[in-house]
Amino acid sequence: MDKITNRLAALALAGAIGLTGVAAPAFAQNEQFIPILSYRTGAYAPNGIPFANGMSDYYRLINNRDGGINGVKIAFEECETGYATDKGVECYERLKAKGPTGAAFFNPLSTGITFALTEKAPIDKIPIITMGYGRSESRNGAVFTWNFPLLGTYWTAANIAMQHIAKEMGGFDKLKGKKIALVFHDSPYGKEPIPMLTEMSKAHGFELVLLPVTHPGVEQKSQWLQIRQQRPDYTLLWGWGVMNSTSVKEAAAVNYPRDKMVGVWWSGAEPDVLPAGDQSTGYKALMLQHGSGKFPVHADITKHALGKDGSQSKPDDIDDVLYNRGMVNAMLGVEAIRTAQKRFGNKPLTGEQIRWGLENLDLSAARIKELGFEGALKPLKISCGDHEGTRSGRVHQWTGKEWKVISDWYEGDDKLLVPMVRDTSAKYAEEKKITARDCSKES
Amino acid sequence: MAFFLEVLIGGLLTGVLYSLVALGFVLIFKASGVFNFAQGAMVLMAGLALVQLFEPTYIGLWHFVGVGALSAAVVGLLVLRTVRGGTFAAAKGDWRIHLPKIVAVGAGLLGGVLALAGGAKGWPLWLAIPAAIAVMVAVAWVVERWVLRPLVNQEGIILFMATLGVTFFIDGFSQTLFGSNVYPLNIGLSKDPMFLLEGVFEGGILVNKLDISGGVIAGVLVAGLAVFFQKTRIGRALRAVADDHAAAQSVGIPLNWIWFIVWSVAGVVALVAAIVWGSKLGIQFSLTFLALKALPVLILGGFTSVPGAIVGGLLIGAGEKVAEVYFPVVTKFLTGTAMPGGVEYWFAYVLALLFLLFRPQGLFGERIIERV
């Protein structure tokens, strides 16, 4: 028995040494390192997997089709966070200095991890891209120099969701005296829309009912019994992972109409509706501009990325909402690097240089078409004072088989958003003793 | 009043489902003194095995074939052991010493071929459920042979730590093997809502049919376990082992075999829990969190009592749902501001701890009296 144990121990040791050798690839000097914080295991994996696939496939595409970004190959590495803040920070610490110039930027894909990294990014000088999530006030780049909530914040999302509800009801004046429930993941993520919804409830006279759901969200009976009792006119869903499909099932269990539910754009993908089967039909959710389906870049993805260099995607899944989102997210990062290269040269860049690229990112309709994202994105322009870049969204509805776009474009209402962002970011700057940049002097 | 009743009944029915998971803990603790933290992971494993066999379209054909082969091999070995009078033993040099290997490989191949013939359609439920049980029996054998047996006579805490290791292994390995998606399980249990006492209360009291089915299944399971423990020879042996390991061994009860049996029974309980919870939520990683829901049930009901697990489940289920719904009302009454809920996770433990203050052994737990 002892001999066997010793042999097993020796084998394990040899394996560990071998794995270490594999896990530490040597970086070429002309490579730009991009970390991917992903979650392919755990309660949030059904949503984390397609996003990570879309992201990594886009980097594969750039390497295989174009030979990198202007000749600079992308070296990327995934780190499993399991959507846990502590693991996310651990991944950040492990990967921030990798590659010849350190990490280009981080996409935490978790508001909790974003909150933690917001404190670290200015010290390490690495930008944090939080496309469609993160701290809503970080739109103000004068205070949040290193945060980039591209395409939309939760305040924008809440505002757009209420615009859609108002439209369905026949105008904002019809909201008076009505009841809107918010079923939310009891975490920094889920709580983000509350300030905007509270402001709007005061402005338009509707009652806001707050119903938190504890992680991971598989037990929601009490919340939905309250919905049955209180009968809100509409219910907003701010969930993630298995919480979303559970909400849809529980809504069906209390006979709450699915077409009176509007999910945020993180509650509007295939893994959120498919597990609930027919019960999901009619459910609506916001779109972070793009939806499901293919656009021109998918042909290149199929040709240059699928089945290559460890791609884990299945051909049938590459038109899913979250796969597309991962791809859009990766593309914006790549274009920021390209923008920075125009100023600093076609070589691996530091996080600080890429931050400049992000802040000067300007994607015109023509460029979006050239990149193969036509129809999925509207033009966007980032600036020192606006790290969000655009505030547009639509609504799609699950037909039982596919997502169907059911609305025109909505624009986040800056009359409400600007003062909220200004006041909250000023408060943050005061707390953290940050001197806001003078954006008129930035170039 | 109607709303309170609705919350209460909903909580009680959810509590029954918590009991299903807690039962697995109780069985193993009673028979071996091991607090098996891996019970939640076993629920996941059982559910994944079942969904593989029943609806393999979600996953690859080769996974299906693998699970089919494994379950057939287990059944073959169990049949062989029964035919040979409860043992695999044979004299050195006797060809029958190789019989288990031959049977396992032969039955495994047969199961693999059967699975392949079934192809993407999967097996019918009457075949898929016994096959999933066979997979759980295989898990029980692995745990007994490779985890418990080497640690026999160690402290309880060591065994508990070992089950923690088993938990993480099963959690991770099942996801590596089967993926991390949510696999809907539809075995025909109705998920429609139904309304009671519509004549008495406006809108009636809403109850979900799936929760009712879960309650009935739990009841049948408990009755079955009671018969198994009280009326069968193995059940009596299990009770003997639970009372005193050494004494049971001294009268010829084979401890390893008993442990294997009890882990297998816990595997069956895990499968039942997986069927009910899986029909409700889909088979998915979050089923492992059910272990955390079972803990307050056990604290409250006692670690060694089957009725305790049931009553504990009912109290925890009803308590946490009522607390979640009325927490904002109570905080508004006390402080003038309604605090949002989100309290049910920790409230279950508060409730359990309160009971613990008055009955440290739990409601139905055995009082340990040690004389010095």
Side-chain angles (χ1 to χ4, degrees):
Chain A
M1 185 69 193
D2 276 353
K3 270 185 188 172
I4 295 170
T5 314
N6 288 341
R7 276 182 208 164
L8 280 174
L11 260 175
L13 189 63
I17 293 166
L19 276 176
T20 317
V22 172
F27 286 98
Q29 281 310 300
N30 199 34
E31 281 182 342
Q32 182 76 58
F33 177 66
I34 302 180
I36 301 177
L37 301 194
S38 59
Y39 27 101
R40 291 181 181 275
T41 60
Y44 301 91
N47 299 55
I49 291 169
F51 189 91
N53 285 345
M55 210 166 209
S56 55
D57 280 355
Y58 191 77
Y59 295 143
R60 280 185 191 95
L61 169 72
I62 296 295
N63 279 344
N64 295 343
R65 186 191 61 189
D66 308 340
I69 312 166
N70 293 320
V72 180
K73 281 249 182 188
I74 301 171
F76 56 94
E77 182 179 326
E78 282 193 36
C79 186
E80 172 74 32
T81 69
Y83 195 61
T85 301
D86 57 335
K87 282 189 192 169
V89 173
E90 198 182 308
C91 285
Y92 171 86
E93 291 296 343
R94 188 155 67 75
L95 298 176
K96 68 180 183 186
K98 269 206 161 179
T101 51
F105 43 70
F106 276 85
N107 296 281
L109 197 55
S110 147
T111 300
I113 299 174
T114 304
F115 272 56
L117 297 190
T118 298
E119 312 277 320
K120 291 174 171 286
I123 299 162
D124 297 320
K125 299 195 182 306
I126 300 174
I128 307 293
I129 302 176
T130 57
M131 193 188 83
Y133 60 97
R135 302 185 77 112
S136 299
E137 68 270 36
S138 67
R139 165 183 164 178
N140 183 1
V143 172
F144 292 89
T145 308
W146 299 90
N147 294 56
F148 291 87
L150 308 175
L151 295 192
T153 65
Y154 290 131
W155 291 350
T156 301
N159 185 266
I160 288 176
M162 286 311 301
Q163 285 185 45
H164 181 73
I165 289 171
K167 194 177 177 191
E168 283 197 357
M169 293 185 91
F172 270 109
D173 55 322
K174 301 283 191 304
L175 283 174
K176 197 171 174 59
K178 295 288 189 289
K179 204 180 270 185
I180 308 288
L182 172 70
V183 175
F184 63 99
H185 194 270
D186 197 10
S187 66
Y189 153 57
K191 290 173 185 166
E192 270 291 306
I194 295 174
M196 170 54 75
L197 293 172
T198 308
E199 281 295 310
M200 292 187 84
S201 72
K202 281 182 207 156
H204 301 291
F206 63 84
E207 185 189 343
L208 180 65
V209 180
L210 298 176
L211 297 167
V213 174
T214 45
H215 157 85
V218 288
E219 191 49 57
Q220 299 179 32
K221 190 181 280 294
S222 21
Q223 287 78 7
W224 288 92
L225 283 177
Q226 287 177 80
I227 284 185
R228 173 172 140 78
Q229 186 213 19
Q230 302 209 25
R231 300 180 200 281
D233 298 278
Y234 275 85
T235 295
L236 295 167
L237 177 62
W238 234 261
W240 185 227
V242 293
M243 178 185 155
N244 291 330
S245 56
T246 308
S247 288
V248 174
K249 287 177 197 169
E250 290 290 351
V254 299
N255 262 350
Y256 187 80
R258 267 37 55 78
D259 62 356
K260 298 289 179 198
M261 292 173 76
V262 180
V264 67
W265 42 58
W266 297 108
S267 304
E270 289 78 3
D272 306 323
V273 286
L274 286 174
D278 293 342
Q279 293 175 328
S280 307
T281 305
Y283 170 72
K284 295 169 187 165
L286 301 181
M287 299 162 70
L288 186 60
Q289 299 210 10
H290 68 87
S292 60
K294 289 183 179 169
F295 21 98
V297 73
H298 284 92
D300 282 354
I301 286 277
T302 307
K303 192 172 166 191
H304 298 286
L306 282 193
K308 294 192 170 70
D309 314 327
S311 168
Q312 297 185 42
S313 314
K314 292 176 188 159
D316 290 347
D317 299 338
I318 64 165
D319 56 352
D320 287 358
V321 173
L322 289 171
Y323 182 91
N324 285 346
R325 189 160 305 160
M327 235 175 27
V328 169
N329 198 154
M331 180 273 281
L332 293 175
V334 167
E335 290 311 300
I337 293 172
R338 219 185 285 279
T339 306
Q341 282 179 346
K342 281 181 194 157
R343 177 166 170 157
F344 301 106
N346 295 343
K347 59 182 183 183
L349 302 176
T350 63
E352 197 168 9
Q353 291 167 328
I354 292 166
R355 195 208 71 78
W356 184 91
L358 276 160
E359 198 156 84
N360 290 277
L361 184 62
D362 184 359
L363 285 183
S364 64
R367 180 62 183 151
I368 287 170
K369 187 177 178 185
E370 197 182 351
L371 289 167
F373 286 82
E374 192 184 13
L377 275 183
K378 291 181 94 178
L380 104 151
K381 186 169 171 22
I382 310 295
S383 64
C384 164
D386 181 7
H387 276 196
E388 193 180 7
T390 167
R391 278 163 283 286
S392 307
R394 289 178 286 178
V395 176
H396 58 183
Q397 186 172 30
W398 184 249
T399 63
K401 284 181 183 161
E402 59 180 2
W403 289 105
K404 188 181 168 196
V405 181
I406 57 159
S407 82
D408 291 332
W409 291 90
Y410 295 101
E411 296 294 326
D413 181 2
D414 263 351
K415 272 188 227 141
L416 270 172
L417 286 161
V418 168
M420 279 179 72
V421 169
R422 187 190 55 220
D423 295 348
T424 319
S425 57
K427 201 174 156 199
Y428 180 86
E430 194 186 328
E431 270 173 23
K432 303 288 174 185
K433 301 192 173 26
I434 296 169
T435 310
R437 291 185 296 156
D438 181 353
C439 284
S440 63
K441 291 179 183 163
E442 296 285 328
S443 61
Chain B
M1 183 63 187
F3 179 61
F4 176 76
L5 279 176
E6 204 167 79
V7 173
L8 189 69
I9 293 170
L12 288 170
L13 288 170
T14 308
V16 175
L17 304 191
Y18 294 159
S19 303
L20 271 179
V21 185
L23 272 174
F25 282 92
V26 169
L27 286 176
I28 291 179
F29 192 82
K30 257 174 90 81
S32 57
V34 178
F35 182 81
N36 173 31
F37 197 78
Q39 190 64 28
M42 283 166 69
V43 174
L44 173 69
M45 183 84 184
L48 283 169
L50 178 66
V51 91
Q52 292 283 309
L53 293 156
F54 182 53
E55 295 187 85
T57 44
Y58 298 121
I59 311 143
L61 176 67
W62 293 108
H63 277 136
F64 176 56
V65 171
V67 179
L70 176 67
S71 48
V74 171
V75 172
L77 284 173
L78 287 176
V79 170
L80 175 70
R81 197 178 189 282
T82 312
V83 168
R84 298 200 55 204
T87 178
F88 289 134
K92 211 173 178 183
D94 188 343
W95 69 274
R96 279 177 295 188
I97 205 161
H98 301 296
L99 211 50
K101 287 174 209 157
I102 297 165
V103 168
V105 172
L109 278 173
L110 188 69
V113 170
L114 267 176
L116 201 58
K121 284 185 198 161
W123 288 348
L125 200 60
W126 59 265
L127 188 59
I129 287 181
I133 291 175
V135 171
M136 294 317 291
V137 169
V139 171
W141 182 80
V142 170
V143 170
E144 191 281 316
R145 182 70 187 81
W146 297 100
V147 181
L148 294 182
R149 205 183 292 183
L151 293 176
V152 75
N153 286 333
Q154 296 290 336
E155 292 285 329
I157 188 73
I158 306 278
L159 291 160
F160 168 67
M161 296 307 274
T163 67
L164 264 179
V166 171
T167 307
F168 284 98
F169 171 70
I170 295 180
D171 278 358
F173 188 61
S174 344
Q175 288 183 85
T176 306
L177 210 58
F178 304 128
S180 308
N181 281 327
V182 180
Y183 303 113
L185 178 67
N186 194 358
I187 62 162
L189 296 176
S190 172
K191 293 169 188 165
D192 297 334
M194 58 189 266
F195 300 90
L196 309 174
L197 302 174
E198 277 185 284
V200 183
F201 302 110
E202 190 196 337
I205 292 172
L206 179 139
V207 181
N208 199 282
K209 281 183 188 167
L210 187 63
D211 291 343
I212 301 272
S213 310
V216 172
I217 291 172
V220 171
L221 182 75
V222 170
L225 286 174
V227 171
F228 177 70
F229 271 102
Q230 303 295 335
K231 305 285 178 196
T232 66
R233 197 164 142 261
I234 294 177
R236 278 196 294 278
L238 283 172
R239 279 160 51 215
V241 171
D243 279 348
D244 191 329
H245 292 180
Q249 250 183 327
S250 70
V251 294
I253 295 172
L255 203 55
N256 293 334
W257 179 246
I258 290 299
W259 276 359
F260 166 66
I261 293 281
V262 81
W263 276 74
S264 301
V265 175
V268 173
V269 174
L271 179 65
V272 175
I275 289 173
V276 177
W277 279 100
S279 299
K280 198 176 157 78
L281 303 170
I283 302 292
Q284 49 161 311
F285 176 78
S286 300
L287 291 180
T288 58
F289 287 94
L290 293 172
L292 299 178
K293 283 286 187 183
L295 286 182
V297 173
L298 292 167
I299 296 170
L300 205 152
F303 283 78
T304 52
S305 165
V306 170
I310 302 294
V311 176
L314 292 173
L315 286 172
I316 291 290
E320 67 173 22
K321 298 291 175 249
V322 169
E324 177 70 32
V325 170
Y326 290 99
F327 184 75
V329 181
V330 173
T331 50
K332 189 169 185 182
F333 177 73
L334 292 176
T335 65
T337 316
M339 290 165 72
V343 300
E344 59 185 306
Y345 247 70
W346 56 261
F347 187 82
Y349 286 89
V350 172
L351 201 61
L353 288 169
L354 279 175
F355 271 85
L356 213 57
L357 287 178
F358 300 102
R359 276 190 71 86
Q361 68 275 35
L363 272 180
F364 295 83
E366 288 161 20
R367 193 162 193 173
I368 301 160
I369 302 166
E370 288 188 15
R371 292 188 178 82
V372 182

